[in-house]
Amino acid sequence: MDILLSVAAFLLSAIGIVGCIVPGVPGVVLGYAGLLCASFCSYSRLPASLLWIWLGVTVVVTAADFVLPGCMTRLAGGTRAGVWGATAGMIVGFLCGGFVGVVLGPFFGAVVGELLRDRRDSARAFRSGFGSFLAFVVGTGMKLAASGWMLGYVWADTWPVVKSWFETVF
């Protein structure tokens, strides 16, 4: 059972890293699932407190990824119309455009939202769009950092045992 859990831990953690970039794949959640698989192995030394901390990080990072486009649009000088546009662009981009849609959807949504509000203020519209794009970059960075740390924990906890299995078998 330990071998199966170790393989699942590595696979889930690796797919979690990929899922931070690929839309529709919950990267941080998969990374946490890999951490849980590693902790269920009989040789695991991961404390329960670490699992609770990473559960909290997973929830916060996942929630922040949904909230950031609106917040960053607002911080970049956007109005409520830009925030709504960024949110709508994120949803439409996710449903229709895959990776490119997720990256560019909030940007164009914020720009269109601001331009619908005031056609004369194109500078504000593009600042608002840039804020939503920056939110994508920050959100992706947070997800990659969290998933990378979890993969590191899985690696550190699992690798010595996996290495000894390989040495015994081969």
Side-chain angles (χ1 to χ4, degrees):
M1 188 64 159
D2 279 346
I3 295 172
L4 180 65
L5 284 171
S6 297
V7 169
F10 278 114
L11 285 176
L12 287 169
S13 297
I15 294 170
I17 297 285
V18 173
C20 292
I21 299 167
V22 175
V25 179
V28 181
V29 174
L30 289 175
Y32 184 73
L35 192 63
L36 279 177
C37 285
S39 74
F40 291 143
C41 292
S42 63
Y43 56 81
S44 178
R45 295 181 185 211
L46 295 173
S49 60
L50 181 83
L51 297 175
W52 284 108
I53 290 169
W54 280 106
L55 176 62
V57 169
T58 299
V59 169
V60 167
V61 168
T62 302
D65 196 39
F66 287 103
V67 174
L68 272 174
C71 291
M72 296 289 277
T73 299
R74 189 69 134 169
L75 284 175
T79 63
R80 181 172 275 180
V83 172
W84 281 103
T87 303
M90 180 178 62
I91 293 167
V92 169
F94 175 75
L95 295 175
C96 299
F99 179 71
V100 175
V102 169
V103 174
L104 297 179
F107 172 81
F108 286 119
V111 170
V112 168
E114 292 292 343
L115 288 176
L116 287 174
R117 181 185 165 275
D118 184 9
R119 287 189 181 271
R120 294 170 282 150
D121 199 358
S122 62
R124 172 182 273 184
F126 281 100
R127 274 195 320 269
S128 178
F130 178 72
S132 70
F133 176 74
L134 191 59
F136 169 77
V137 172
V138 170
T140 302
M142 286 186 338
K143 291 187 297 186
L144 283 170
S147 294
W149 273 98
M150 284 188 267
L151 176 62
Y153 277 116
V154 167
W155 183 270
D157 190 50
T158 308
W159 181 247
V161 175
V162 171
K163 182 181 173 188
S164 70
W165 287 337
F166 278 112
E167 289 172 352
T168 340
V169 172
F170 299 108

